[in-house]
Each structure stands twice: as structure tokens, then as C-alpha cells.
Amino acid sequence: MSMANEFEPNILGILCNWCTYAGADLAGTARMQYPPNVRVIRVMCTGRLDPAFVLKALSLGADGVLVSGCHIGDCHYLAGNFKSRRRVALMRKLIEEYGYDRERLRMTFVSASEGALWAEVVQDMVNTIKKLGPNPLKQAGAAGQEGAIADEF
Amino acid sequence: MDQEKRIGVFVCHCGTNIAGVVNIPEIVEYTKTLPNVAFADAYTYVCSTPGQEMIINAIKEQNLNGVVVAACSPRLHEPTFRRATERGGVNQFLFSMANIREQNTWVHMEMPEEATRKAKDLIRMEVARASKLEPLEAKVVPVEKAALVIGAGIAGIQASLDLAASGIKTYLVEKEPSIGGNMSRLDKTFPTLDCSQCILTPKMVDVERSENIELMTYSEVEDVSGYIGNFDVTIRQKSRYIYEDKCNGCGKCQEVCPVSRPNEFDLGLQPRKAAYVPFPQAVPLKFTIDMDSCIKCDLCKADDACGELEAIDFDKPDEIVNVKVGTIIVATGFDMYDVERKEEWGYKVYDNVVTGLEFERLIGASGPTGGKVIRPSDGKQPKSVGFVLCAGSRDQDEEDGAKPYCSRVCCMYSLKHAHQLIEKIPGCVPYLFYMDIRSFGKAYEEFYYRIQDEGGKFIRGRVAKITEDPITKNLIVTAEDTLLGEIMEMEMDMVVLASAVVPTESTQKIKKLLTLSNSPDGWLLEAHPKLNPMSTTTDGVFLAGMCQGPRDIPDVVAHAGAAAAAASIPIHRGSVTLEPIYAIVDEERCGGCATCIGMCPYGATELTHVDSKLIAHVNEAKCKGCGTCGSACPSGAIKMQHFTNEQIMSEIEAFAQGW
């Protein structure tokens, strides 16, 4: 890492195949540089987002979860992003109940032609999580252990 | 499934694209320590023939039953490596890909350590996923031997003719009463000065005569469902209030019609009747009654007009037609940028400021003046004409809706206009205000020199302001000559704004119907900008012509031919292989709550009775594999194949092992 003591967040990305994953590829083709803190899981549609994925990631110590799909109205499957947007809105409230700041979960909309936007989204998410600090479970040294929500998922 | 997992991992150098940033040996050594990994190695180009042979040999020698390639994006080479996996004797769906190029080495070029760590993480996640992958069988479905082409400008016409010539039944749908599109509005075409109508109308007639083309003019696509090979298309044939089979195109209805309104085809420069054809060479030559302006005087029905033909029926309803096609070509073309929004140029304020397309009608032999160039204010021949190039193109002004892109045709059509003026009006001087003259095509640069020799004046600079002398109606053009570094003012008889091209309004509607994407500038997005500019991300849907981006006629024709060839491949092959990525229901776990029913936008989930128990069922043919139902199922009964909960959860667990 760049500085020995600086906190570098581990962020899970869940991206749809048709828009944001393609947009992230475009950022690569255009050699747009952004922070290396996101690990991406590719799904066909953000509608595939099971709330359990978010809870699982947080319970195992992820510092943030970034869900990103097509712009509203542009979903390759017509309306999957509407459903995930609703789910994410609810999940942001739910994770607060578990003691996580809602900003640790974010949904963005990046199309296949918006490579620059993807680089911005990652930069912004990394900045936000850096401000929030590491996952509270990690701070307590409990990540991945018999945590309150780890059992359920 | 209880068989021991033996996964082979192949790390690609991609020349220096990957190896130039990350530490490949370190990654390979790390990969060997991961659970279920039986073999790991690296190679310069895994996608090359020796690279693929390496996978195939390793599968056989190491008895592998799973493959992970860490290389470029799966959107690029997943099909390549799936085939290699299959050739090695392992089911292709037991393959997974880690994207360590587009989403790693290319975006963290100055951070080798972090990128190396990220590559390890991504490989670990894909190995975990590959450990949970299940073999699937791709489904082969027959392809309907017909195609749909949306839009009948030169792109749609060319695509339809090519499809029809290869023996494919083609439905050509055009929303206007005639085919021909914008090209039929043009007088001459650059740089050869071919008469546009002369080269276009034979093709239009060919369309009408072709046995394989079913032409549907004055029609719009209302709905599309299904998938490649099996699209169900609903088309609304708007009522012309004239029976096409009875109308013989005699035009008597038009003669007697008392209504007068601006003809859209001539951009309002001359009137038409309520009973009309847009232009004399229209195909089909069938009249249309514009019910919005018809006063129902019945003169057209009288004995001295349509009379005995009885072709006119004011109550004729729209017709809804359903067709089944295997592939679809979108050719929705372009409109002109609304240059009125650039107030500084006074379009629609000053009579003698016209757009390039209007000038095309003014100079065109089939136009309102019969090709005699006159200025709108007084009908006099102009002796000096200013051309404002890049009118709305190459312009970052978002407030005016201007476009940052180059429209690719305006330089050349303005040069052509300049030539025509010099030819038609002795002594007339065209002044072209340009930023750069982009004469990039075959014989274009030579044409540019020719206009210079003929007396065209070129001023490098943007026009800042146009004002009018209220008495003479002459225009005062203010611009900076950037080569002299001087502000200049010139009086002109007339100004032509070479307005930008923009996607048509209906492009957005078609985009939604076919779940296509567009680039930020509004043009439809191709599958790959270099290697697949005529395909889209929706299988079986192709793009032809300007709807994908600005291009001139030769490029449109080439693009349309490519689209037709691509669209004919699945039809001639007769079948397509569909990804078995669809949801399945575990009947034991399903409680019949119907939550999934509301989730599916395709109506693929339905409730059925099995042994008196109500359970959900997924119709494989309708399911497109988004997985939205699976993530909503409260009992975890729906399994989204190839993206199962187990597979994704294992990736998340592997992700969490990174700290």
C-alpha cells in the first residue's frame, strides 16, 4: 500500500454484465486510472442481487459493497435495476440496524459507454469508505468470527 | 458432483499488457496454494493457438475438471476459452474467467504491488466460483426464416435488398408513407455529384418488386418479444384512409383536395394537400390522407376524382399485424439538430438563414423551385452565400443541446453546395466558415481542392453572430478569421447552416423495445466499436447506418450490407445455441407464495399444480436469465443456473480471505 498506516478499504463490487461491467471494461480500454480497492463479481443483472450477498460480505469484514447496473429505463432485462434499487434502499436501512453506516452500501448506474463515470464512482466510493474507516467488525477484531449476522448467512 | 475438484488456472501475460504491470511468477505460485487448484501456469498469449493447446493438454494430462483463465475481460474472450475447455473434454460451463486486464492492469498501471494483490484476489474468487460450477447443456433452438428491418432509408433499403437476395423473407417497416429516407431529399451526392434520386430510386423500386420483401410503409413497430431466432413482432399499420390495393396512384384525390399545408418532405418549403404522396417518386405510389388536416369535404370521393375506384374510406382503421422473425436490423437513421437553439445565427428569425437540408431542397431539381436557387426573402438569386460549418457539431455547449461529435457529412455537403452554387449562378461566391475541413473519404480531398480552384472562399473561424439588414434582408456575418487573427464582418445575401445530425426520436423507442443501449451522445451502441460495429448486445439484433453514429452514404451502404450478412447467418444456419442460463425451481422447497411471479418482466414464472400442491414453474424459453426471481425467493427454491447463490457466496467468501 502507498503508505504503511493508511487504511485501504476492501470493497466488493457487484456489477451487471451489460452496463457497468462493460463500462468498467471501457475504463480499462481507455486506460483510466482509479484506486485498486474494488473486487468485482459479475452477474447478468443487478436484479440478481440477493440481500444475503450484502450481509454476507459485511459480516465477513468487507468495508463496503458497491452495486452498479444500467441506468433506470435501460435495463437489459427491462426492470431488474428497479428491483435492485428498491432492495438496496431497504438494505441501506437494514445495515444501519446492524451498526453499519448506510454509506457502506451504495448503488450506482453506469452504462456501457461511461468508463470515465465508473472511474469516478470507484474513486468516490473509496473516498467515502476511507472517511468511515474499516468495517466495525474488523475494528473489534470480530470479522469472520461468530458474529451476530455471520451465523444467519 | 462428489468427484474431487481439480482446477487448472492459466494466467495470461497478454504480452506486456498484464505482465508489464503485475508479477506473474508470484501470482502463479500463489495460485498453486489455493484449494482445488491442481495445476497453474502462465503463458504469453493464452488466447493464441498454443495457449489454447496448453489448456487442452493440461486438462488431459492433469485430469482437470475445471478451468480458470486469468486474462482479459470475459466479455472479450470467454467464448474462446469455453470452446477450448470443451475441446479438452470438460463441459464449457465449468470454465470461469478472472478479468485482470481491463479491470486491473490497465486501470492500475502505476501500482504494480496493488495490482498483483488484486489479481491474486480475483483469481482466488474465480477459483472458488469454479469449484461450485455445474455442467450445463447449451440448448439448440430453430431459427425463424425471416428478418425484420426497421426503417427504410438507404440503410434499411440496402439491408433488405441484401437479405432478400440471399433468400430471406424480409419485413421492411417504415413509419413514413414512402421509403427513401433522407437520401431521397438530397439533390447531388458528394464527391461524385451523382444525382441522389437517380441512384436511389432504382433500389426503391427493387424493394417494391422483390418477392422476398414485404414492405410495410406508414407502419410502426409496437412491440417485440422473444429472443434470437424467435422474435414475435407487433406492427401497427397506420390507416392511410385509402385502400392500398385499390389505389392506382392516379393522384386525382390530390388534385381536388382543397386543403393546403406544409409538406414535411420539403421541410415545409412548399405545400401539399391533405390527400398526398410525399414526393412524386414515392414507393409505394399510394396516396395517404392526413386525417389531422382533412376537412372531410368528400371531394376526393366524387365521380371526377377517386369515384369508381372506391379506394377512399375515412373510417378505415389501423391494422395490427403480428410477424415472427429470426433476426432484426435497426436502421432508424438521423434527424437534423434543431439549429434554432443557436440564437446567435438567427435561424427562423431571418428569412435568408436556412439549414443545409433546406438548401438541399432549394437546389434540388425535384424541390419547390425546380432547382433554381433563390433566397427566401425576395426570390432573388444570391450572389454571396455564407456556409457555417459545424453548426451544432464539435460544440461543447450543452445548454443549446449542441453535440461534441463531428457529424462527418457537413464539410463535404457544404463543399458540394459551394460547387453547385458556382455552377448554377455565374459570379456567385460561396464563403465557407470552417474549423477544419474534414475531407477524409475516397476522392474527398481532391474534391476539396477542386472547390478551391473553382473559387470557393474558405475562412477558418467560427461565426459568432449573424444580424440582418432590415431593408435589404442581407445578412451581416461576424466571425474571427483565425489565420489572420482578425475579427471580420461580411455582408452576405444568404447563409446556410450546416447543421449537425442527431439520432431520430424513434430511436429511443426502438432502443427500449429491443433492450439496446446508446452511447452518451444518443447513437445506438454497437457490440464492439472496431470488430463488431453492426451487432448489438441483444443477440439477433443488428444496426445499419446512421442510427449507430454519423456516417456518409458509402459507409451507410457498407454498414447495412454488413448488418444484412450478420443477420442472415443464424437464419441460414437454421439454428442457434442458447446459453442455458435460466432459472429452475426446486419443487420440494417452493411454497407457492408467488413472489417470483411479480418479479419477472417476461412472464416466464407461473404457478402450476403439481400433485395438488401449488408451485412455481419457470418457462425456460421465456426466461432470459437475469436472476431477479431467484434473489427474491423467500425459500431459496429458485436456482439461477450458472449464477447460483452457492457460486456467488463462494466468491464473496473468497473475496473476504483477502485480509
Side-chain angles (χ1 to χ4, degrees):
Chain A
M1 297 290 137
S2 48
M3 284 172 67
N5 293 329
E6 199 186 339
F7 158 58
E8 286 295 337
N10 292 296
I11 298 166
L12 180 69
I14 299 178
L15 311 191
C16 85
N17 179 61
W18 305 101
C19 291
T20 307
Y21 197 90
D25 277 354
L26 182 64
T29 311
R31 310 297 196 278
M32 288 162 178
Q33 305 297 300
Y34 57 81
N37 302 71
V38 179
R39 306 288 179 267
V40 166
I41 291 180
R42 180 173 68 121
V43 289
M44 281 296 131
C45 178
T46 51
R48 181 68 191 86
L49 179 78
D50 192 316
F53 300 162
V54 176
L55 296 179
K56 179 80 170 184
L58 292 176
S59 73
L60 292 176
D63 300 308
V65 178
L66 174 59
V67 181
S68 190
C70 307
H71 287 281
I72 290 299
D74 282 355
C75 177
H76 191 74
Y77 304 99
L78 308 176
N81 53 0
F82 277 99
K83 278 129 192 169
S84 54
R85 184 174 67 166
R86 278 200 313 239
R87 283 175 197 152
V88 168
L90 286 171
M91 290 298 297
R92 277 162 68 96
K93 288 185 183 165
L94 184 69
I95 63 169
E96 273 186 332
E97 299 292 315
Y98 283 116
Y100 294 102
D101 192 291
R102 63 168 62 199
E103 288 303 324
R104 289 191 189 273
L105 171 62
R106 184 177 285 181
M107 180 160 187
T108 60
F109 306 96
V110 176
S111 81
S113 59
E114 293 175 326
L117 181 59
W118 171 246
E120 263 175 52
V121 159
V122 171
Q123 182 68 61
D124 193 53
M125 181 81 179
V126 170
N127 292 348
T128 305
I129 303 288
K130 277 189 178 176
K131 269 184 217 142
L132 291 174
N135 182 321
L137 281 179
K138 261 199 255 179
Q139 289 169 342
Q145 295 176 19
E146 303 279 310
I149 60 173
D151 281 352
E152 288 175 44
F153 299 95
Chain B
M1 288 312 293
D2 294 317
Q3 188 193 2
E4 184 208 354
K5 264 285 165 194
R6 291 182 61 78
I7 295 170
V9 182
F10 303 86
V11 183
C12 185
H13 292 221
C14 195
T16 56
N17 281 309
I18 294 170
V21 177
V22 294
N23 184 334
I24 299 269
E26 186 186 324
I27 291 170
V28 173
E29 284 316 304
Y30 169 78
T31 305
K32 285 178 179 164
T33 67
L34 294 172
N36 298 327
V37 172
F39 177 84
D41 204 350
Y43 188 68
T44 339
Y45 292 103
V46 181
C47 60
S48 66
T49 307
Q52 294 186 48
E53 289 301 321
M54 180 184 171
I55 297 175
I56 294 164
N57 292 337
I59 291 173
K60 289 175 182 157
E61 285 161 16
Q62 305 289 329
N63 197 23
L64 303 177
N65 55 17
V67 173
V68 170
V69 171
C72 52
S73 171
R75 291 174 54 87
L76 196 65
H77 265 315
E78 189 178 54
T80 314
F81 295 126
R82 275 190 180 174
R83 280 195 297 273
T85 305
E86 193 88 34
R87 273 162 52 212
V90 171
N91 183 281
Q92 59 170 316
F93 294 98
L94 298 176
F95 165 80
S96 202
M97 199 158 172
N99 182 344
I100 60 167
R101 193 181 73 172
E102 278 85 342
Q103 299 190 15
N104 191 21
T105 57
W106 276 355
V107 288
H108 314 310
M109 298 175 90
E110 306 298 325
M111 312 177 93
E113 277 174 39
E114 287 85 349
T116 302
R117 188 193 145 206
K118 182 169 172 179
K120 289 182 192 171
D121 288 351
L122 292 174
I123 292 171
R124 186 176 63 247
M125 289 164 72
E126 288 314 313
V127 167
R129 171 176 152 81
S131 305
K132 302 287 181 187
L133 286 175
E134 295 167 11
L136 299 170
E137 287 312 317
K139 216 169 49 168
V140 177
V141 297
V143 174
E144 191 70 33
K145 300 233 172 288
L148 168 73
V149 177
I150 306 171
I154 181 59
I157 288 173
Q158 185 63 44
S160 301
L161 288 174
D162 287 354
L163 285 168
S166 78
I168 294 168
K169 166 90 177 169
T170 305
Y171 299 96
L172 176 56
V173 177
E174 167 57 51
K175 70 178 183 338
E176 301 297 331
S178 170
I179 64 173
N182 278 310
M183 188 177 166
S184 58
R185 290 193 166 108
L186 309 182
D187 181 42
K188 299 271 194 302
T189 56
F190 58 78
T192 49
L193 303 172
D194 295 278
C195 148
S196 184
Q197 286 281 6
C198 315
I199 55 177
L200 177 64
T201 46
K203 282 187 184 288
M204 291 165 63
V205 174
D206 286 348
V207 166
E208 197 176 32
R209 287 208 189 127
S210 170
E211 285 175 4
N212 281 333
I213 297 177
E214 189 165 331
L215 182 57
M216 298 182 185
T217 46
Y218 213 42
S219 301
E220 288 185 42
V221 175
E222 291 226 313
D223 193 37
V224 180
S225 62
Y227 48 93
I228 179 171
N230 298 276
F231 289 107
D232 290 296
V233 184
T234 309
I235 299 159
R236 175 180 293 271
Q237 287 194 301
K238 291 176 281 187
S239 176
R240 291 176 188 269
Y241 304 100
I242 285 181
Y243 293 104
E244 288 185 33
D245 49 345
K246 290 184 183 170
C247 174
N248 62 9
C250 68
K252 283 182 187 159
C253 54
Q254 176 175 262
E255 281 167 27
V256 298
C257 181
V259 177
S260 178
R261 52 160 297 123
N263 188 358
E264 297 82 357
F265 180 81
D266 282 309
L267 310 164
L269 294 174
Q270 69 177 331
R272 65 160 169 82
K273 303 293 186 67
Y276 73 107
V277 284
F279 55 103
Q281 304 90 331
V283 169
L285 192 60
K286 304 290 177 190
F287 279 75
T288 303
I289 296 178
D290 165 16
M291 239 351 128
D292 290 337
S293 51
C294 174
I295 54 171
K296 296 196 176 167
C297 62
D298 281 353
L299 281 175
C300 53
K301 291 182 182 170
D303 286 344
D304 60 345
C306 199
E308 280 177 7
L309 273 180
E310 293 187 334
I312 298 172
D313 176 0
F314 289 166
D315 298 319
K316 186 177 181 289
D318 291 358
E319 280 175 44
I320 302 294
V321 182
N322 294 300
V323 299
K324 222 172 154 55
V325 298
T327 52
I328 298 173
I329 293 177
V330 180
T332 48
F334 70 97
D335 277 336
M336 302 305 282
Y337 164 69
D338 180 11
V339 76
E340 196 180 346
R341 296 177 68 178
K342 288 276 176 194
E343 287 175 11
E344 61 269 34
W345 295 328
Y347 176 62
K348 289 208 175 155
V349 179
Y350 310 133
D351 291 345
N352 294 328
V353 178
V354 300
T355 68
L357 200 57
E358 284 170 349
F359 191 74
E360 200 69 55
R361 294 311 296 151
L362 281 178
I363 209 164
S366 65
T369 59
K372 192 165 177 258
V373 184
I374 51 168
R375 51 182 220 160
S377 68
D378 50 16
K380 282 189 192 147
Q381 278 201 334
K383 293 287 181 190
S384 56
V385 180
F387 289 88
V388 179
L389 274 61
C390 300
S393 308
R394 304 179 67 196
D395 185 333
Q396 309 277 353
D397 195 343
E398 284 174 18
E399 241 171 68
D400 291 337
K403 305 297 171 186
Y405 52 78
C406 166
S407 292
R408 290 191 80 201
V409 289
C410 339
C411 283
M412 291 308 296
Y413 77 62
S414 298
L415 286 172
K416 180 201 68 175
H417 287 159
H419 165 81
Q420 287 177 292
L421 275 177
I422 294 166
E423 187 184 65
K424 288 193 178 216
I425 306 174
C428 178
V429 183
Y431 296 88
L432 286 85
F433 295 88
Y434 70 101
M435 293 206 282
D436 306 280
I437 293 288
R438 296 192 163 175
S439 50
F440 52 85
K442 188 174 180 179
Y444 289 10
E445 187 72 3
E446 294 88 325
F447 189 69
Y448 174 28
Y449 294 147
R450 178 177 168 186
I451 310 311
Q452 286 178 331
D453 289 343
E454 286 176 349
K457 303 282 179 223
F458 294 80
I459 299 142
R460 188 174 185 278
R462 264 192 114 96
V463 172
K465 196 172 71 181
I466 296 172
T467 49
E468 186 187 59
D469 180 328
I471 297 161
T472 61
K473 299 284 181 186
N474 287 348
L475 300 160
I476 295 106
V477 176
T478 311
E480 184 189 355
D481 186 329
T482 58
L483 295 181
L484 295 177
E486 284 173 3
I487 307 289
M488 52 170 291
E489 257 186 26
M490 286 181 82
E491 193 171 319
M492 307 266 175
D493 291 345
M494 196 171 168
V495 168
V496 182
L497 305 174
S499 26
V501 292
V502 295
T504 55
E505 257 177 54
S506 48
T507 303
Q508 280 300 316
K509 185 187 134 196
I510 299 296
K511 178 193 125 180
K512 284 203 163 41
L513 282 179
L514 298 170
T515 64
L516 307 176
S517 306
N518 57 245
S519 17
D521 49 25
W523 304 102
L524 292 174
L525 194 67
E526 62 288 324
H528 191 283
K530 309 280 184 314
L531 301 178
N532 208 350
M534 63 285 175
S535 300
T536 68
T537 49
T538 302
D539 280 345
V541 178
F542 304 89
L543 305 175
M546 277 254 203
C547 65
Q548 188 246 347
R551 42 167 64 82
D552 56 13
I553 294 168
D555 285 2
V556 165
V557 172
H559 194 228
S568 71
I569 291 169
I571 295 175
H572 288 313
R573 201 198 283 140
S575 64
V576 284
T577 307
L578 297 184
E579 294 248 311
I581 298 179
Y582 51 82
I584 51 175
V585 179
D586 180 345
E587 296 185 1
E588 291 294 313
R589 294 182 86 168
C590 176
C593 71
T595 304
C596 54
I597 310 286
M599 285 294 127
C600 182
Y602 304 105
T605 45
E606 56 208 9
L607 283 183
T608 52
H609 282 278
V610 174
D611 301 335
S612 79
K613 186 188 159 199
L614 204 57
I615 60 147
H617 171 76
V618 177
N619 181 333
E620 290 169 14
K622 285 187 180 173
C623 175
K624 305 232 180 193
C626 65
T628 308
C629 57
S631 32
C633 178
S635 49
I638 296 184
K639 180 160 132 187
M640 184 53 236
Q641 301 202 103
H642 212 53
F643 292 91
T644 66
N645 274 3
E646 207 190 4
Q647 288 158 7
I648 295 173
M649 284 299 198
S650 69
E651 277 185 86
I652 297 173
E653 279 166 14
F655 159 70
Q657 284 155 13
W659 51 82

